[in-house]
Amino acid sequence: MNAKMKKRMIAVSGVIVIVLILVLAFVGGNTAATTLSVAEAAENPQAGQKVQVSGNVVQDSFATTDNVLTFKIYDPEGDPATHLEVRYDGAASSTFGNDVTAICTGKINEAGVLECSNLVTKCPSKYENADNALQVSQLLGYGNEVIGKVVKVTGTVAEGTLAAAGQGDRFVLAESGDKSVVLPVTFDGALSDEVTDGATVVLTGAMTDDGKFAATDVALEG
């Protein structure tokens, strides 16, 4: 075999090796995740393997530090005392909150924490009649008289104000007929994905001393 042919074969072999490496990397990176329950993931973490675990967010278990969201999930159909800790380095959807169903895909590290690379949240929609609810301007007109008193108020979600639980005000409620009349709302519960910019909602809760509405329930008008 002459030198020219030998160099050509080495070059071809090198290309084949590179292609094989890329194919294996692609296949490995797209391996389907193993579906586990919260209990299975907590008891047999299968460290390093790609898994998908679904559960509900444990009440007030979430915190955001340096743009990293940590929280715990439990199985609503299993043992509520069995929790799995999740770490998500990404922006949580505005639907995220207490007891929302979180579908977490990622790998469990040696400490038993699910390092989530993909987070999907789901919450069923709730509807409520707005007949007995106050308009934003009516509520604000009562001033300090309504602080701490449970009331219902209706309005629309101001554009661009929706945020995930734990990130400050959840959204701003605007008067349906006058968008300049607004009320900041705090709420740590789950929101359905139908609660979007401009959606008409009915809130139950109370005014606080700082001029915000602390909602205990958020429903779509229906």
Side-chain angles (χ1 to χ4, degrees):
M1 181 182 298
N2 59 42
K4 186 175 181 180
M5 182 64 70
K6 188 174 182 180
K7 288 181 179 179
R8 183 178 297 175
M9 290 188 66
I10 291 173
V12 171
S13 300
V15 171
I16 292 173
V17 170
I18 292 172
V19 170
L20 286 173
I21 291 173
L22 291 175
V23 169
L24 290 172
F26 177 80
V27 173
N30 289 273
T31 303
T34 301
T35 301
L36 299 177
S37 67
V38 172
E40 289 171 334
E43 295 168 6
N44 181 26
Q46 302 188 38
Q49 294 187 30
K50 189 175 183 181
V51 298
Q52 184 177 88
V53 187
S54 299
N56 286 23
V57 175
V58 175
Q59 185 87 10
D60 299 329
S61 67
F62 52 84
T64 302
T65 305
D66 296 331
N67 295 320
V68 176
L69 173 66
T70 57
F71 59 97
K72 295 178 181 179
I73 57 175
Y74 73 97
D75 186 348
E77 298 180 358
D79 181 1
T82 300
H83 299 164
L84 176 67
E85 187 172 349
V86 181
R87 184 181 184 277
Y88 179 60
D89 186 2
S93 165
S94 61
T95 59
F96 182 86
N98 284 327
D99 217 37
V100 69
T101 299
I103 303 171
C104 310
T105 305
K107 296 180 179 180
I108 300 176
N109 63 27
E110 294 181 355
V113 177
L114 175 55
E115 298 282 356
C116 181
S117 56
N118 186 50
L119 173 63
V120 178
T121 53
K122 292 183 178 181
C123 176
S125 298
K126 294 190 294 183
Y127 297 89
E128 186 150 349
N129 193 300
D131 288 348
N132 299 318
L134 298 171
Q135 295 294 320
V136 176
S137 59
Q138 290 177 310
L139 177 62
L140 294 175
Y142 282 109
N144 293 338
E145 294 180 29
V146 291
I147 292 178
K149 295 181 180 179
V150 177
V151 296
K152 288 185 179 180
V153 61
T154 185
T156 60
V157 177
E159 186 174 352
T161 63
L162 277 164
Q167 296 182 0
D169 297 340
R170 195 63 179 278
F171 58 89
V172 172
L173 187 70
E175 179 96 3
S176 296
D178 185 354
K179 305 302 181 185
S180 65
V181 180
V182 295
L183 177 65
V185 177
T186 61
F187 181 62
D188 284 336
L191 292 177
S192 79
D193 55 12
E194 290 186 68
V195 178
T196 57
D197 289 350
T200 302
V201 292
V202 180
L203 313 182
T204 302
M207 291 294 296
T208 58
D209 292 329
D210 58 358
K212 298 183 179 183
F213 190 82
T216 55
D217 187 69
V218 177
L220 293 159
E221 182 183 7

